Amino acid sequence: MRRLATDIGLWVVLAAPVAFSWPGHNAYPFWLLLVGLAGLGAAVAVSRRYPLVSLFIVVSLTAIDGNFSFALPVISYLVGRRMASIRPAAIGFTAIVVLFSPYVLIRTGFLTWASLAGVLVYAGLFPWLVGRYRRQQLDLVAAGWEHAEQLEREQRIISDQVRLRERTRIAEDMHDSLGHELSLIALRAGALELAPDLDERHREAAASLRASAGAATERLREIIGVLRDDTAPAPTHPTDEDVTELVRRAKASGMAAELTTTPPSTPVPPMVDRAVHRLVQEALTNANKYAPGAAVTVDIHHTDTDVTVTVRNAPPPAGPLPGIGQGGQGLVGLRERVRLTGGAFDAGRTPDGGFRVMARMPYAGGTVAPPPVETASADRRRLAQRRARRGLVTAVAVPAGIGAVLGAVAIGYYVYATTSAVLTPRDYAALTTGQDLATVEQVLPRREMLDPPTRDEPAGAVCRYYRSHGEIFNAQLDVYQLCFRDAHLVSKQTIPLGL
């Protein structure tokens, strides 16, 4: 239904110039006008399925009324926009030239044929090029979007895998801390069970507590064993290592790392504490990998309710490593770990060319935000759209520029041909019949006028036509007809024109 409404609207717009101009000249019957408008409607109707047929229909309709040529640029654009192949359109334009050129040359002459050829170039070929270019741009954009969506899906899968691995690490960290606490509970319950002054009722309760703690430890080990990633490398540092020891080991390995920290006033929850350790560890690893030799500062600021961790590294002294950028999958894991604590995470380059990783995590937890949505595909789409718009502007500007140049050349040639075909009224009056051709040619201009009027000519004579003045915008003009036979002037005639 929408396509039908669009086609009807297009037909109305294209038919308006023909319908409005017909009463003014009434050069052909009304029934022929209706036939032409019906043919234009047919051209619009078949332009979707048979674009080339619609082009032939419109070109044929110009033989009825020249105002049908207003539809030629639109139909030519649709031919380029809706046809997948170039070859049929090239054959179609060639066929139009071959089929219609003899008819125009015989009926109207070379100048009319040249003007119609220009119309075909400007109103037919150039719009077709724009339509063709637009189709290619849309096809490229569609292919780019499809590729971007595929990359986005792959990136999302990778990110999900990283988040799952990070959650597994969190579970392992919790196992290490909770398992230790449960073991202590079981040990203390066992000691209480063996106390000699404990009555039998309390001894049974202590034994039950020891058994429950042991069973909980075993179940915790089984659950974490299911989640554990066997492909992950075994840790090379103690699980209870704090950030101070982590930075100390980094300095011992040659990194220029400095730690600034404020001691917490309240105990830090295990999940937040492990997240702080993991964030500093990953940031130091990235700094050593992507900015070797750069100074690194680690700042940990504790308050009564939260902790803020900031790790900055300066630009590498030797400049950025070629082909390597920061912000890989390690940061995705950090973002997931901080997100699960209810905190906020940020990472990016600093104005001086370094890199900063920062996170704020509340002790009491908070609202866990949903995982971030990847925007790389949307960015690529916007870039493709901008390139397509620039390409479309270029496709329009280049033909317009070529048309302007050719138009300027045509106007220049017309001015030259007009001013070079002027026979002044005084020189014309001085000519008399019977003069020989050599004498007459001494006052004749360099060339004859373009598109002279047709008048009766003496039998066997060759006639020439000249303008009475070279004013381009003067509508009043006399045309001088000079006819020669046997190298003598046999006739002269003035033909008044009102252009």
Side-chain angles (χ1 to χ4, degrees), residues 66-148:
N67 290 314
F68 280 107
S69 60
F70 287 105
L72 183 58
V74 178
I75 298 300
S76 297
Y77 172 83
L78 295 179
V79 171
R81 176 68 180 82
R82 293 172 176 174
M83 293 190 68
S85 177
I86 298 177
R87 180 176 298 178
I91 296 175
F93 279 107
T94 303
I96 290 174
V97 174
V98 172
L99 295 176
F100 289 93
S101 289
Y103 171 80
V104 176
L105 287 171
I106 294 173
R107 287 286 303 271
T108 61
F110 175 79
L111 289 178
T112 303
W113 176 88
S115 63
L116 292 179
V119 170
L120 182 64
V121 171
Y122 291 113
L125 183 59
F126 284 171
W128 173 82
L129 289 174
V130 175
R132 179 64 188 172
Y133 192 85
R134 180 58 176 165
R135 178 186 178 89
Q136 291 178 335
Q137 286 294 313
L138 292 178
D139 289 344
L140 289 175
V141 170
W145 286 6
E146 182 179 353
H147 181 63

Side-chain angles (χ1 to χ4, degrees), residues 291-365:
V296 182
T297 59
V298 179
D299 180 72
I300 302 176
H301 179 70
H302 291 275
T303 67
D304 295 337
T305 58
D306 58 35
V307 58
T308 301
V309 183
T310 305
V311 182
R312 292 185 180 88
N313 66 264
L321 299 180
I324 295 180
Q326 301 192 49
Q329 299 303 324
L331 296 183
V332 176
L334 293 183
R335 189 183 302 276
E336 177 67 9
R337 183 179 283 260
V338 173
R339 185 184 72 86
L340 293 176
T341 65
F345 178 84
D346 180 68
R349 293 192 179 276
T350 58
D352 62 354
F355 201 80
R356 185 193 70 171
V357 176
M358 185 175 69
R360 188 196 67 80
M361 292 169 284
Y363 295 154

Side-chain angles (χ1 to χ4, degrees), residues 85-436:
S85 177
I86 298 177
R87 180 176 298 178
I91 296 175
F93 279 107
T94 303
I96 290 174
V97 174
V98 172
L99 295 176
F100 289 93
S101 289
Y103 171 80
V104 176
L105 287 171
I106 294 173
R107 287 286 303 271
T108 61
F110 175 79
L111 289 178
T112 303
W113 176 88
S115 63
L116 292 179
V119 170
L120 182 64
V121 171
Y122 291 113
L125 183 59
F126 284 171
W128 173 82
L129 289 174
V130 175
R132 179 64 188 172
Y133 192 85
R134 180 58 176 165
R135 178 186 178 89
Q136 291 178 335
Q137 286 294 313
L138 292 178
D139 289 344
L140 289 175
V141 170
W145 286 6
E146 182 179 353
H147 181 63
E149 290 172 355
Q150 180 181 358
L151 293 178
E152 183 180 5
R153 287 193 296 269
E154 295 175 355
Q155 182 66 25
R156 188 181 299 114
I157 292 173
I158 295 175
S159 298
D160 290 342
Q161 292 175 346
V162 172
R163 293 189 185 100
L164 290 175
R165 284 199 298 267
E166 193 62 29
R167 293 181 184 184
T168 301
R169 293 192 186 100
I170 294 173
E172 293 173 357
D173 293 341
M174 293 302 99
H175 168 266
D176 294 336
S177 59
L178 294 178
H180 178 66
E181 295 296 332
L182 289 174
S183 298
L184 289 178
I185 292 174
L187 181 62
R188 289 167 183 169
L192 181 62
E193 181 184 1
L194 297 177
D197 56 346
L198 194 67
D199 59 51
E200 190 63 26
R201 183 169 58 86
H202 289 156
R203 192 182 307 279
E204 292 177 358
S208 177
L209 176 62
R210 176 181 56 79
S212 298
T217 303
E218 187 63 27
R219 284 196 296 270
L220 179 63
R221 183 178 297 109
E222 292 175 357
I223 294 172
I224 300 304
V226 173
L227 296 176
R228 186 179 300 274
D229 185 2
D230 293 336
T231 62
T236 58
H237 57 84
T239 57
D240 59 348
E241 177 189 48
D242 59 9
V243 174
T244 302
E245 178 63 19
L246 185 63
V247 175
R248 188 198 65 78
R249 287 196 300 106
K251 294 177 65 175
S253 65
M255 178 180 290
E258 295 294 336
L259 172 64
T260 303
T261 181
T262 58
S265 57
T266 58
V268 180
M271 188 169 182
V272 175
D273 185 61
R274 295 306 302 168
V276 171
H277 182 278
R278 177 85 175 108
L279 189 144
V280 174
Q281 181 186 44
E282 183 67 23
L284 291 177
T285 301
N286 285 344
N288 183 60
K289 183 177 181 180
Y290 299 123
V296 182
T297 59
V298 179
D299 180 72
I300 302 176
H301 179 70
H302 291 275
T303 67
D304 295 337
T305 58
D306 58 35
V307 58
T308 301
V309 183
T310 305
V311 182
R312 292 185 180 88
N313 66 264
L321 299 180
I324 295 180
Q326 301 192 49
Q329 299 303 324
L331 296 183
V332 176
L334 293 183
R335 189 183 302 276
E336 177 67 9
R337 183 179 283 260
V338 173
R339 185 184 72 86
L340 293 176
T341 65
F345 178 84
D346 180 68
R349 293 192 179 276
T350 58
D352 62 354
F355 201 80
R356 185 193 70 171
V357 176
M358 185 175 69
R360 188 196 67 80
M361 292 169 284
Y363 295 154
T367 303
V368 179
V373 178
E374 302 293 339
T375 60
S377 176
D379 294 338
R380 283 190 287 267
R381 290 181 183 179
R382 286 191 291 270
L383 179 61
Q385 288 175 333
R386 286 196 297 268
R387 289 177 177 175
R389 284 193 293 267
R390 288 196 296 266
L392 182 59
V393 171
T394 303
V396 174
V398 170
I402 296 175
V405 172
L406 294 179
V409 172
I411 293 174
Y413 175 76
Y414 177 76
V415 172
Y416 164 76
T418 299
T419 56
S420 300
V422 175
L423 178 62
T424 63
R426 186 179 62 179
D427 291 338
Y428 173 75
L431 298 177
T432 59
T433 57
Q435 287 181 303
D436 61 277

Side-chain angles (χ1 to χ4, degrees), residues 3-21 33 36-45 47 67-68 70-71 74-75 78:
R3 286 187 175 183
L4 178 60
T6 302
D7 290 344
I8 293 175
L10 180 60
W11 174 78
V12 171
V13 171
L14 298 181
V18 180
F20 289 156
S21 63
L33 171 65
L37 295 179
L40 182 61
V44 173
S47 62
N67 290 314
F68 280 107
F70 287 105
V74 178
I75 298 300
L78 295 179

